[in-house]
mmCIF file of all heavy atoms in Angstrom:
data_model
loop_
_atom_site.group_PDB
_atom_site.id
_atom_site.type_symbol
_atom_site.label_atom_id
_atom_site.label_comp_id
_atom_site.label_asym_id
_atom_site.label_seq_id
_atom_site.Cartn_x
_atom_site.Cartn_y
_atom_site.Cartn_z
ATOM 1 N N ASN A 50 -14.981 -26.534 -18.475
ATOM 2 C CA ASN A 50 -14.443 -25.191 -18.251
ATOM 3 C C ASN A 50 -14.601 -24.773 -16.791
ATOM 4 O O ASN A 50 -13.711 -24.150 -16.210
ATOM 5 C CB ASN A 50 -15.130 -24.174 -19.161
ATOM 6 C CG ASN A 50 -14.692 -24.311 -20.611
ATOM 7 O OD1 ASN A 50 -13.598 -24.809 -20.889
ATOM 8 N ND2 ASN A 50 -15.530 -23.872 -21.537
ATOM 9 N N LEU A 98 20.057 -17.053 -1.770
ATOM 10 C CA LEU A 98 19.075 -17.988 -2.302
ATOM 11 C C LEU A 98 18.983 -19.185 -1.368
ATOM 12 O O LEU A 98 19.988 -19.619 -0.788
ATOM 13 C CB LEU A 98 19.504 -18.448 -3.705
ATOM 14 C CG LEU A 98 18.459 -19.133 -4.587
ATOM 15 C CD1 LEU A 98 17.362 -18.144 -4.943
ATOM 16 C CD2 LEU A 98 19.137 -19.643 -5.853
ATOM 17 N N THR A 102 13.034 -28.933 -0.571
ATOM 18 C CA THR A 102 12.297 -29.820 -1.466
ATOM 19 C C THR A 102 10.875 -29.997 -0.941
ATOM 20 O O THR A 102 10.608 -29.888 0.254
ATOM 21 C CB THR A 102 12.987 -31.193 -1.574
ATOM 22 O OG1 THR A 102 13.144 -31.746 -0.255
ATOM 23 C CG2 THR A 102 14.355 -31.058 -2.225
ATOM 24 N N PHE A 114 18.562 -25.871 2.015
ATOM 25 C CA PHE A 114 19.833 -25.146 2.015
ATOM 26 C C PHE A 114 19.559 -23.655 1.867
ATOM 27 O O PHE A 114 18.478 -23.219 1.482
ATOM 28 C CB PHE A 114 20.717 -25.603 0.840
ATOM 29 C CG PHE A 114 20.425 -24.864 -0.436
ATOM 30 C CD1 PHE A 114 21.182 -23.762 -0.825
ATOM 31 C CD2 PHE A 114 19.347 -25.232 -1.233
ATOM 32 C CE1 PHE A 114 20.886 -23.064 -1.987
ATOM 33 C CE2 PHE A 114 19.043 -24.546 -2.397
ATOM 34 C CZ PHE A 114 19.818 -23.449 -2.776
ATOM 35 N N ASP A 150 26.727 -18.822 10.015
ATOM 36 C CA ASP A 150 25.960 -17.598 9.786
ATOM 37 C C ASP A 150 26.139 -16.651 10.964
ATOM 38 O O ASP A 150 26.965 -16.875 11.867
ATOM 39 C CB ASP A 150 24.480 -17.943 9.591
ATOM 40 C CG ASP A 150 23.715 -16.877 8.803
ATOM 41 O OD1 ASP A 150 24.236 -15.773 8.624
ATOM 42 O OD2 ASP A 150 22.582 -17.168 8.384
ATOM 43 N N PRO A 171 11.400 -4.921 9.674
ATOM 44 C CA PRO A 171 11.974 -3.597 9.913
ATOM 45 C C PRO A 171 13.089 -3.557 10.947
ATOM 46 O O PRO A 171 14.020 -2.772 10.815
ATOM 47 C CB PRO A 171 10.762 -2.767 10.353
ATOM 48 C CG PRO A 171 9.719 -3.747 10.754
ATOM 49 C CD PRO A 171 9.950 -4.964 9.924
ATOM 50 N N PHE A 179 26.013 -8.498 16.371
ATOM 51 C CA PHE A 179 25.871 -9.882 15.934
ATOM 52 C C PHE A 179 27.041 -10.715 16.452
ATOM 53 O O PHE A 179 28.120 -10.186 16.749
ATOM 54 C CB PHE A 179 25.874 -9.985 14.402
ATOM 55 C CG PHE A 179 24.646 -9.433 13.737
ATOM 56 C CD1 PHE A 179 24.624 -8.115 13.291
ATOM 57 C CD2 PHE A 179 23.528 -10.215 13.532
ATOM 58 C CE1 PHE A 179 23.511 -7.600 12.657
ATOM 59 C CE2 PHE A 179 22.408 -9.711 12.905
ATOM 60 C CZ PHE A 179 22.399 -8.398 12.466
ATOM 61 N N ILE A 250 -1.720 -33.722 9.675
ATOM 62 C CA ILE A 250 -2.494 -32.893 10.596
ATOM 63 C C ILE A 250 -2.438 -31.451 10.116
ATOM 64 O O ILE A 250 -1.363 -30.861 9.993
ATOM 65 C CB ILE A 250 -1.940 -33.024 12.025
ATOM 66 C CG1 ILE A 250 -2.027 -34.476 12.492
ATOM 67 C CG2 ILE A 250 -2.695 -32.099 12.974
ATOM 68 C CD1 ILE A 250 -1.322 -34.741 13.795
ATOM 69 N N TYR A 316 19.325 -11.878 27.334
ATOM 70 C CA TYR A 316 18.094 -11.406 26.702
ATOM 71 C C TYR A 316 18.137 -9.896 26.484
ATOM 72 O O TYR A 316 18.613 -9.140 27.343
ATOM 73 C CB TYR A 316 16.881 -11.699 27.598
ATOM 74 C CG TYR A 316 16.666 -13.155 27.919
ATOM 75 C CD1 TYR A 316 17.025 -13.674 29.159
ATOM 76 C CD2 TYR A 316 16.072 -14.009 26.989
ATOM 77 C CE1 TYR A 316 16.809 -15.001 29.466
ATOM 78 C CE2 TYR A 316 15.849 -15.346 27.285
ATOM 79 C CZ TYR A 316 16.223 -15.838 28.533
ATOM 80 O OH TYR A 316 16.006 -17.163 28.838
ATOM 81 N N ILE A 328 14.898 13.312 16.481
ATOM 82 C CA ILE A 328 13.769 12.439 16.149
ATOM 83 C C ILE A 328 13.813 12.031 14.682
ATOM 84 O O ILE A 328 13.631 10.853 14.345
ATOM 85 C CB ILE A 328 12.434 13.150 16.462
ATOM 86 C CG1 ILE A 328 12.287 13.391 17.958
ATOM 87 C CG2 ILE A 328 11.254 12.322 15.958
ATOM 88 C CD1 ILE A 328 11.046 14.184 18.332
ATOM 89 N N SER A 333 12.564 5.685 11.180
ATOM 90 C CA SER A 333 12.794 4.427 10.451
ATOM 91 C C SER A 333 11.460 3.707 10.330
ATOM 92 O O SER A 333 10.419 4.349 10.196
ATOM 93 C CB SER A 333 13.846 3.579 11.176
ATOM 94 O OG SER A 333 13.447 3.299 12.496
ATOM 95 N N ASN A 346 20.887 -2.076 22.233
ATOM 96 C CA ASN A 346 21.969 -2.398 23.166
ATOM 97 C C ASN A 346 21.908 -1.572 24.447
ATOM 98 O O ASN A 346 22.886 -1.484 25.181
ATOM 99 C CB ASN A 346 23.347 -2.217 22.499
ATOM 100 C CG ASN A 346 23.410 -2.813 21.111
ATOM 101 O OD1 ASN A 346 22.836 -3.872 20.868
ATOM 102 N ND2 ASN A 346 24.084 -2.148 20.188
ATOM 103 N N LEU A 420 1.845 5.251 9.753
ATOM 104 C CA LEU A 420 2.685 6.031 10.655
ATOM 105 C C LEU A 420 2.527 5.524 12.082
ATOM 106 O O LEU A 420 1.476 5.021 12.472
ATOM 107 C CB LEU A 420 2.318 7.511 10.582
ATOM 108 C CG LEU A 420 2.625 8.224 9.257
ATOM 109 C CD1 LEU A 420 2.028 9.629 9.266
ATOM 110 C CD2 LEU A 420 4.129 8.284 9.014
#
Side-chain angles (χ1 to χ4, degrees):
N50 287 335
L98 196 66
T102 55
F114 86 96
D150 204 346
F179 290 93
I250 300 171
Y316 301 103
I328 295 175
S333 58
N346 315 322
L420 293 172

